Amino acid sequence: MKKEISTPTMKDVAREAGVALGTVSKVVNGLPVGDSYRIRVENAIQKLNYQVNSYAQGLKANKTYTVALLIPNTIDPFFAALTYYINTALMKRRYKMLLCATDFDPRQEQEYILMAQNNKVDGIIGLTYNPSLVVEENTPFVAIDRSMGSNIPCVACDNFAGGQLAAEKLADLGCKHVAFLRSGSSLANEPNKRKAGFENGCLSRGLSYEMKILNDGDSFEEFEQFLSEHMAGGRLTFDGIFCVTDRLAYLTQDMLRRLRQRVPEDVQLIGFDGIRAFGNTDYHCSTIVQPVPEMAEMCVDLLLRENTLVKPPLICLPVTYAYGGTTREKAIPASKEV
Amino acid sequence: MKKEISTPTMKDVAREAGVALGTVSKVVNGLPVGDSYRIRVENAIQKLNYQVNSYAQGLKANKTYTVALLIPNTIDPFFAALTYYINTALMKRRYKMLLCATDFDPRQEQEYILMAQNNKVDGIIGLTYNPSLVVEENTPFVAIDRSMGSNIPCVACDNFAGGQLAAEKLADLGCKHVAFLRSGSSLANEPNKRKAGFENGCLSRGLSYEMKILNDGDSFEEFEQFLSEHMAGGRLTFDGIFCVTDRLAYLTQDMLRRLRQRVPEDVQLIGFDGIRAFGNTDYHCSTIVQPVPEMAEMCVDLLLRENTLVKPPLICLPVTYAYGGTTREKAIPASKEV
DNA sequence: CATACTGAATGAAACGTTACATGAAAATAG
DNA sequence: CTATTTTCATGTAACGTTTCATTCAGTATG
């Protein structure tokens, strides 16, 4: 397992080029060096196929060029997308990402933060659920979707506008009476604004609406029962549904199928998040799309920005609407590749 | 950005405990130390909240305690699951994972390998598509789903058995004439065996079958046309379909819906991979499930195993069948949480 | 031609750890 | 009670960088 062929070091390059160690360092870091020296060093680097040892660099600089990402997992499609785009944004800046999968466990969240703080990372990006998370002053931290106190910036999509947009879309699509479905407590902080935005949108468009908020642990049947209760003569009493996540919209579609309600003929459905079935294929449902790539870029930018003077407490990025088959648009999108 | 409050070092611990530096090192690494010393050091570690600097460790040991994962992205659900479980398996062994998203780009794949080889990682786990990838002798490498030459072990699920199982299931479920659908060249190496396994299963059960292999770039319409051609009197000429991936099965369901074929009433459908819609909810379709957690564990184990003497060239892990609504089982699984 | 000044190459020190040679103290044997 | 062995804490060197004080060469100035 131990590498037998040792990697060339700066010392080797210096010897090869016939210059001093410090000169090689300067060339590597782009500091001013006389042309004749630069060329000799560059040739030596080429010849030996030298690469800097970033761990020695990190040791010296007391920087690790690593950022921790605290996220429950990478399996949930929304988390998976965030992970991908944040990793890409970090790699672009020559930073590495330490993936910390917390499994929604508040204890693990805190443990990872301690670990990160003590030594190993230059900053943390966290999508966390522990309401009493302790983050030391001197550890740069950017939160996703959760306000975590005065001087920790939070990046989110414009959840309020998203809720509003959903209501307006349903109104535009001809709905008269709609429902808002939300699953339990797992939606902390920012995403809660979807409800307020939706109500606001309904009000301004004269849509009447009902609310159903499921607590954690509410069973599938209980949810189904809510829908059953709102049926009269084999039809739902509402003609549009806004689900607070695509995941919930997916489950709702299952339930509606069992109740012999057709989507979108009998009831139109809008979800939230912009999850696609296989990453690049169709949306699971018509949905309010979060700008995940932009959110990722913003997190990294905020975390690594040098002038830490201005710390905006909350950054809301714009959402968009996307058709996904569960609404009755005029035009239906074109075909796709297999 | 720079940390003002410096992290305590071993030297600080040694001073605090009144012992030598080396003694602290031994305690930290669990080497034999006299009890009175050990206790003093442990107390000092507690008091100062000391954590080892893994980058100094890495510099000394010429090990980075980091493993690169080469994978196209983390968005595709299968890749997302692999990423999650591999990361977990590595963290359990106190290794870090460097996520290298290659976007299916052979050039990026090779670049990441060069980077990894030269310095930065102790090994590589790769799910790659570049057939002419160059991997140096002295860099431990484990491939997923791709045979990459004599001394690079490959971890995969038992694709042949999976194909066979699919055929047998369809036979058990009453099918008489079935179809095998496969999408293009993106399925290299190991997963190709699904076809052979399926044929073998059909043969042994007396099932007749048809094959359709889509090349890359074949459009959705072309695929739909294949299905249309196999219809007579408003019904498909086959009563079962095995799709080589869940993704394809997902698309196929869309197509069948357009052709007014009911699943599973008119035609039963089995996919491959074991992808769930939202990580923990229903399967998209009845499917052959890859043992992703076990595969991940195996990759890490193989990569980090000390006695590198025995290098099995191919490890096939067993697959299972799971019901997902697109087949006509007797019993239907129970309910689920929201 | 001598002096002062500039710019750039040099090489040693330091970052936090581990490994190893050293030596002291304790334990055992004679 | 001495001699020998064992045990184990000690402290230094080394890992590959960066930084910074030093030095040196070359140019400009009087």
Side-chain angles (χ1 to χ4, degrees), chain A residues 8-27:
Chain A
T9 75
M10 274 194 177
K11 205 186 283 182
D12 299 321
V13 175
R15 194 184 321 113
E16 175 72 28
V19 303
L21 197 54
T23 309
V24 178
S25 177
K26 282 187 203 165
V27 171

Side-chain angles (χ1 to χ4, degrees), chain A residues 172-223:
Chain A
D172 288 348
L173 291 163
C175 293
K176 301 299 176 202
H177 182 62
V178 295
F180 172 85
L181 295 185
R182 193 190 120 178
S183 62
S185 63
S186 65
L187 284 177
N189 281 314
E190 289 308 315
N192 281 337
K193 296 182 182 167
R194 292 171 195 176
K195 174 167 171 280
F198 186 71
E199 292 184 298
N200 192 274
C202 287
L203 243 50
S204 73
R205 292 304 188 92
L207 267 180
S208 59
Y209 60 85
E210 324 227 356
M211 296 272 156
K212 172 63 178 174
I213 298 185
L214 293 159
N215 295 310
D216 273 352
D218 272 14
S219 72
F220 191 72
E221 280 83 7
E222 214 167 325
F223 197 0

Side-chain angles (χ1 to χ4, degrees), chain A residues 1-308:
Chain A
M1 198 67 169
K2 197 189 287 178
K3 290 187 190 174
E4 303 299 342
I5 301 165
S6 70
T7 313
T9 75
M10 274 194 177
K11 205 186 283 182
D12 299 321
V13 175
R15 194 184 321 113
E16 175 72 28
V19 303
L21 197 54
T23 309
V24 178
S25 177
K26 282 187 203 165
V27 171
V28 168
N29 292 292
L31 298 174
V33 170
D35 283 341
S36 68
Y37 285 83
R38 157 163 292 113
I39 289 167
R40 273 194 287 160
V41 170
E42 280 169 352
N43 287 341
I45 287 177
Q46 280 281 320
K47 182 170 173 192
L48 300 181
N49 192 21
Y50 166 80
Q51 295 225 154
V52 296
N53 180 326
S54 64
Y55 290 84
Q57 275 186 323
L59 174 60
K60 196 70 186 62
N62 198 27
K63 279 193 74 171
T64 58
Y65 298 98
T66 300
V67 168
L69 174 63
L70 261 64
I71 200 157
N73 58 61
T74 67
I75 298 185
D76 175 282
F78 179 62
F79 300 150
L82 264 178
T83 302
Y84 173 76
Y85 288 108
I86 288 175
N87 184 66
T88 303
L90 285 169
M91 291 291 255
K92 213 166 40 184
R93 290 168 173 77
R94 323 197 114 253
Y95 270 73
K96 286 160 273 174
M97 186 182 86
L98 179 65
L99 179 57
C100 302
T102 62
D103 289 316
F104 295 100
D105 176 3
R107 224 183 44 245
Q108 280 198 64
E109 290 179 351
Q110 186 66 70
E111 265 171 28
Y112 277 128
I113 288 190
L114 283 177
M115 180 197 86
Q117 247 159 199
N118 231 303
N119 204 322
K120 300 188 179 30
V121 302
D122 296 343
I124 306 176
I125 298 174
L127 201 167
T128 57
Y129 291 84
N130 185 338
S132 54
L133 222 48
V134 180
V135 184
E136 250 177 40
E137 270 304 316
N138 59 338
T139 306
F141 196 109
V142 171
I144 300 173
D145 273 357
R146 318 268 176 258
S147 286
M148 292 187 58
S150 52
N151 50 2
I152 293 182
C154 167
V155 173
C157 75
D158 194 337
N159 286 288
F160 187 90
Q164 198 162 19
L165 181 56
E168 290 167 1
K169 270 289 163 188
L170 287 175
D172 288 348
L173 291 163
C175 293
K176 301 299 176 202
H177 182 62
V178 295
F180 172 85
L181 295 185
R182 193 190 120 178
S183 62
S185 63
S186 65
L187 284 177
N189 281 314
E190 289 308 315
N192 281 337
K193 296 182 182 167
R194 292 171 195 176
K195 174 167 171 280
F198 186 71
E199 292 184 298
N200 192 274
C202 287
L203 243 50
S204 73
R205 292 304 188 92
L207 267 180
S208 59
Y209 60 85
E210 324 227 356
M211 296 272 156
K212 172 63 178 174
I213 298 185
L214 293 159
N215 295 310
D216 273 352
D218 272 14
S219 72
F220 191 72
E221 280 83 7
E222 214 167 325
F223 197 0
E224 198 167 7
Q225 196 189 337
F226 164 78
L227 290 180
S228 311
E229 282 168 4
H230 287 262
M231 290 187 68
R235 297 214 40 166
L236 280 170
T237 60
F238 34 75
D239 51 9
I241 302 178
F242 173 45
C243 288
V244 79
T245 63
D246 286 344
R247 176 169 183 266
L248 196 56
Y250 181 82
L251 290 174
T252 303
Q253 283 186 72
D254 270 359
M255 289 188 280
L256 291 171
R257 207 170 293 134
R258 294 195 199 183
L259 297 170
R260 309 254 169 247
Q261 301 299 303
R262 291 166 305 164
V263 177
E265 291 83 355
D266 299 327
V267 58
Q268 301 190 70
L269 191 64
I270 294 184
F272 202 112
D273 278 346
I275 299 307
R276 293 159 190 251
F278 284 89
N280 48 2
T281 53
D282 272 353
Y283 288 100
H284 272 106
C285 57
S286 297
T287 187
I288 307 299
V289 183
Q290 295 204 50
V292 176
E294 289 78 10
M295 288 166 67
E297 189 66 40
M298 181 59 75
C299 287
V300 172
D301 193 63
L302 229 48
L303 190 74
L304 266 31
R305 228 210 291 273
E306 281 302 321
N307 63 345
T308 180

Side-chain angles (χ1 to χ4, degrees), chain B residues 127-176:
Chain B
L127 201 168
T128 56
Y129 291 84
N130 184 338
S132 53
L133 223 48
V134 180
V135 183
E136 250 177 39
E137 271 302 316
N138 59 337
T139 306
F141 195 108
V142 171
I144 301 174
D145 273 357
R146 317 268 175 259
S147 286
M148 292 186 57
S150 53
N151 49 1
I152 294 183
C154 167
V155 173
C157 76
D158 194 336
N159 286 288
F160 187 91
Q164 198 162 21
L165 182 55
E168 289 167 3
K169 271 289 163 188
L170 288 174
D172 289 347
L173 291 163
C175 293
K176 301 300 175 201

Side-chain angles (χ1 to χ4, degrees), chain B residues 221-267:
Chain B
E221 280 84 5
E222 215 168 323
F223 198 177
E224 199 167 5
Q225 195 189 338
F226 164 77
L227 291 180
S228 312
E229 282 168 3
H230 288 261
M231 291 186 69
R235 298 212 40 165
L236 280 169
T237 59
F238 34 75
D239 50 10
I241 303 179
F242 172 44
C243 289
V244 79
T245 64
D246 285 346
R247 175 167 184 267
L248 196 56
Y250 181 82
L251 290 173
T252 304
Q253 284 186 71
D254 271 0
M255 289 188 280
L256 291 171
R257 207 170 293 133
R258 294 196 197 181
L259 296 171
R260 310 253 169 247
Q261 300 299 303
R262 290 166 306 163
V263 177
E265 291 83 355
D266 300 327
V267 58

Side-chain angles (χ1 to χ4, degrees), chain A residues 1 7 49 52-53 55 59 66 74 80 84 87 99 103 118-120 217 220-221 250 277 303 335-337, chain B residues 1 7 49 52-53 55 59 66 74 80 84 87 96 99 103 118-119 217 220-221 250 277 303 335-337:
Chain A
M1 198 67 169
T7 313
N49 192 21
V52 296
N53 180 326
Y55 290 84
L59 174 60
T66 300
T74 67
Y84 173 76
N87 184 66
L99 179 57
D103 289 316
N118 231 303
N119 204 322
K120 300 188 179 30
F220 191 72
E221 280 83 7
Y250 181 82
L303 190 74
S335 77
K336 62 217 153 184
E337 296 289 304
Chain B
M1 198 65 168
T7 312
N49 190 22
V52 297
N53 180 324
Y55 290 85
L59 173 60
T66 301
T74 68
Y84 173 76
N87 185 65
K96 286 160 275 171
L99 179 57
D103 289 316
N118 231 304
N119 204 322
F220 190 73
E221 280 84 5
Y250 181 82
L303 191 73
S335 78
K336 61 215 155 186
E337 295 290 302

